[in-house]
Amino acid sequence: MTTQHSTAPAPNALQSRALRDTLGQFATGVTVVTTCDASGTPLGMTVNSFNSVSLDPPMILWSIDKQSLGYEAFTQQPFFAVHILKADQQHVSNLFAGRGADKFGQVRWHQGAEQVPILEDCAAYFHCRLSNCVEGGDHTILLGEVLDFKAEGGEPLVFHRGCYRSLSADD
């Protein structure tokens, strides 16, 4: 079977919405990624493009829109942390998805290794060294080598079809 690649024009707004809705059929966990900018100011953003890559060496990935306010810091600073949010942390997801607010003044956090902000009370976190940035259309994929991690557990915050969802137990 042969795969053909086309050089189709960019999708119009209707096609983009349809693609977004179709991609929304895939349920994802919700994370907040943190780092500091060059001046040491903590930055964070909500991300649902997180995934594992490798166990040996331990690596993860996530992607960032090239138009994001923190793009330069996240693609240039050597360290970051990924926090997996719990089901009761929708407010944290919404806070870090927005612009402008004093995000770190509204959550409990501490400085971790390499001064990376670590959010408290999350299901888990991964402290990472930026390994590589790969161009991917209007986003950049960041690969991180996992240097440290911790799992607290708890029900995860899930996003599906544009809404937060709960997992139902199959007992």
Side-chain angles (χ1 to χ4, degrees), residues 3-168:
T3 303
Q4 294 183 345
H5 299 281
S6 75
T7 54
N12 64 31
L14 262 150
Q15 289 171 320
S16 292
R17 182 74 247 175
L19 177 59
R20 185 181 191 106
D21 291 346
T22 303
L23 290 168
Q25 297 300 312
F26 183 68
T28 65
V30 181
T31 68
V32 169
V33 182
T34 59
T35 194
C36 287
D37 66 15
S39 68
T41 303
L43 297 173
M45 64 186 303
T46 300
V47 171
N48 70 349
S49 60
F50 170 76
N51 209 337
S52 63
V53 173
S54 171
L55 293 176
D56 187 17
M59 296 186 79
I60 57 90
L61 68 77
W62 65 283
S63 62
I64 185 171
D65 188 315
K66 291 178 181 177
Q67 301 301 314
S68 294
L69 291 177
Y71 182 82
E72 184 176 321
F74 282 110
T75 57
Q76 294 180 6
Q77 292 302 309
F79 300 98
F80 62 88
V82 178
H83 307 82
I84 298 175
L85 299 185
K86 291 181 182 177
D88 65 356
Q89 292 183 302
Q90 289 183 22
H91 65 287
V92 176
S93 173
N94 291 335
L95 176 66
F96 282 89
R99 293 179 184 248
D102 174 16
K103 298 171 184 171
F104 289 91
Q106 298 181 52
V107 295
R108 292 180 46 220
W109 67 282
H110 64 274
Q111 281 190 326
E114 287 86 19
Q115 310 307 312
V116 174
I118 302 296
L119 303 182
E120 297 183 8
D121 303 322
C122 295
Y125 78 87
F126 301 88
H127 174 74
C128 302
R129 177 189 344 262
L130 182 61
S131 173
N132 197 6
C133 293
V134 179
E135 298 301 309
D138 59 2
H139 281 64
T140 297
I141 301 161
L142 288 82
L143 291 164
E145 175 189 0
V146 177
L147 303 176
D148 189 25
F149 58 93
K150 183 176 182 181
E152 294 289 333
E155 201 64 26
L157 183 58
V158 177
F159 199 73
H160 177 246
R161 293 179 38 201
C163 299
Y164 295 112
R165 306 288 181 171
S166 297
L167 295 179
S168 57

